[in-house]
Amino acid sequence: MAERVIERAYDGRGRCYIGVRRLSQMSASTSSPQRQREDVLAAVKAAGGHVIAWADDWEVSGATDPMTRPRLGPWLRGERGPYNGIAGAAVDRLGRNLVDCLNTGYMMRDTGLALLTYGHDGPWNLDDPNDENRFTMEAWGAQMELRAIQRRNRDAAVKARAAGRVKAKPSYGYRYVRLMPTGAVDHVALHEHAASVIRNVARRILADPENITPSSEAARLTRAGELSPSDHRAVMYGRPVTGAPWMSSAVRDILRSEAALGYLMHKSRPVIGSDGHPIRIAEPLWDRATHEALRRVIKQRGDSHPRGARVRSPAYLLTGLLNLMG
């Protein structure tokens, strides 16, 4: 699905709008993007304008400030060129946070830009008490709906953890196995290719920690065309990739996370079972000794060492390295 669709290029004639679409979760079966498109075009047509570009924020939470959204943010910050306003299918497509919605609405008003949503007659006029109250109530309703969704998700996560079931996205190196395409997760297994990639990274860093670092490995993986964790996950779930590079922070997080030991995780910590031990749900990428060695290497290098600084390689770095060969 294209991120920007030009209905008509900006030519300075008429009212030129940016179509705003947002969806927290994308799936192959959802029809929301097309419905939002139709609603936006209808709202713009009724206002006598035309769409010059689309700011499509897929997989973006409604709690995200519109000013910082990947696609909409640059338009609001004046980084994408001239336009006369934005148009969305509903106020909740702008966002699900009352303060953020109001701040964005007032910013549009104060800069002379129009704000359209489907179902509202013409641009919102926040200088009019009736329009201001209606806009505020719709934004408030969107926030209340978000909180209800978050509460349901928290409750579901608590129940899943209590039952030893996964709820979050799989960690890099792992995949969820379903017995049916749309069924619940049956178990967690190693992803053969991703596990091989990250095991090789760990092996290289432990073998030569003075010269091979998470930063150099991130650059190497990007040069080699290896899919970043986000793009790797997108491919697993049938979504388009973005071409995002590997980040050194992602490499560090994967290497030092106890998720690599096959544990069920919550808020970056293993979930403890009734026996007082972490709940293991999958085969580990490496053993505990290797995990501790990786953590020591990353901690010793840290982010504070000046460029080119070397860290003395302690004798225990190769502990458990042979376990990565399997």
Side-chain angles (χ1 to χ4, degrees):
M1 183 177 299
E3 291 177 342
R4 294 181 63 195
V5 179
I6 305 298
E7 301 295 332
R8 172 178 154 187
Y10 180 81
D11 55 14
R13 294 184 293 110
R15 303 291 293 176
C16 303
Y17 290 92
I18 306 304
V20 175
R21 296 189 293 179
R22 183 193 60 77
L23 202 60
S24 297
Q25 294 183 336
M26 285 286 285
S27 69
S29 61
T30 183
S31 60
S32 180
Q34 182 59 33
R35 291 199 308 271
Q36 290 186 48
R37 176 189 174 91
E38 293 169 356
D39 289 347
V40 167
L41 292 176
V44 171
K45 182 179 179 181
H50 56 273
V51 173
I52 61 169
W54 292 88
D56 293 341
D57 285 307
W58 308 132
E59 298 282 329
V60 174
S61 168
T64 305
D65 185 346
M67 293 292 291
T68 64
R69 277 163 46 176
R71 302 298 175 184
L72 177 58
W75 287 104
L76 297 180
R77 297 194 300 268
E79 300 169 2
R80 287 288 191 268
Y83 65 101
N84 299 119
I86 63 175
V91 172
D92 65 5
R93 296 305 94 186
L94 186 64
R96 290 186 181 273
N97 179 284
L98 175 62
V99 173
D100 289 343
C101 282
L102 288 174
N103 285 342
T104 303
Y106 291 133
M107 184 274 292
M108 300 290 289
R109 178 199 65 183
D110 295 342
T111 55
L113 297 173
L115 174 59
L116 298 176
T117 59
Y118 181 73
H120 181 268
D121 187 17
W124 288 92
N125 179 9
L126 298 187
D127 287 325
D128 177 79
N130 292 328
D131 249 17
E132 184 180 42
N133 287 338
R134 179 178 169 183
F135 184 82
T136 301
M137 291 306 297
E138 291 195 20
W140 177 257
Q143 177 171 293
M144 291 300 98
E145 185 176 357
L146 174 64
R147 290 183 178 177
I149 293 172
Q150 291 173 332
R151 183 170 58 253
R152 290 195 298 269
N153 289 341
R154 285 195 299 269
D155 292 344
V158 169
K159 292 179 181 178
R161 290 196 301 273
R165 300 193 306 270
V166 294
K167 184 66 178 174
K169 299 174 182 177
S171 300
Y172 186 81
Y174 292 93
R175 63 186 178 91
Y176 289 162
V177 179
R178 293 175 168 85
L179 301 183
M180 296 182 295
T182 58
V185 174
D186 181 73
H187 64 279
V188 182
L190 290 175
H191 187 286
E192 184 175 348
H193 177 72
S196 175
V197 168
I198 199 63
R199 280 172 167 168
N200 186 46
V201 169
R203 182 163 49 240
R204 287 168 54 85
I205 289 177
L206 290 179
D208 189 6
E210 291 192 2
N211 298 297
I212 299 178
T213 68
S215 295
S216 67
E217 284 298 279
R220 180 183 67 84
L221 292 172
T222 299
R223 288 195 304 270
E226 192 65 54
L227 291 176
S228 65
S230 60
D231 276 353
H232 168 72
R233 188 180 301 117
V235 169
M236 284 200 298
Y237 288 95
R239 297 194 298 267
V241 300
T242 64
W246 277 81
M247 305 297 291
S248 59
S249 58
V251 176
R252 287 196 298 271
D253 289 345
I254 295 170
L255 294 179
R256 63 189 176 190
S257 172
E258 290 188 277
L261 298 177
Y263 293 149
L264 177 66
M265 304 292 289
H266 175 61
K267 293 185 178 180
S268 302
R269 298 180 66 85
V271 176
I272 306 301
S274 57
D275 60 357
H277 297 288
I279 299 175
R280 175 162 280 153
I281 56 175
E283 177 185 345
L285 287 167
W286 42 71
D287 62 16
R288 170 61 72 173
T290 302
H291 171 76
E292 295 300 333
L294 288 167
R295 288 183 63 88
R296 283 193 290 267
V297 169
I298 294 171
K299 182 177 180 180
Q300 285 185 328
R301 292 198 67 90
D303 295 324
S304 59
H305 292 286
R307 183 179 298 274
R310 300 300 187 197
V311 179
R312 180 172 298 176
S313 176
Y316 53 68
L317 287 182
L318 297 183
T319 301
L321 182 57
L322 292 178
N323 291 286
L324 293 173
M325 302 297 184

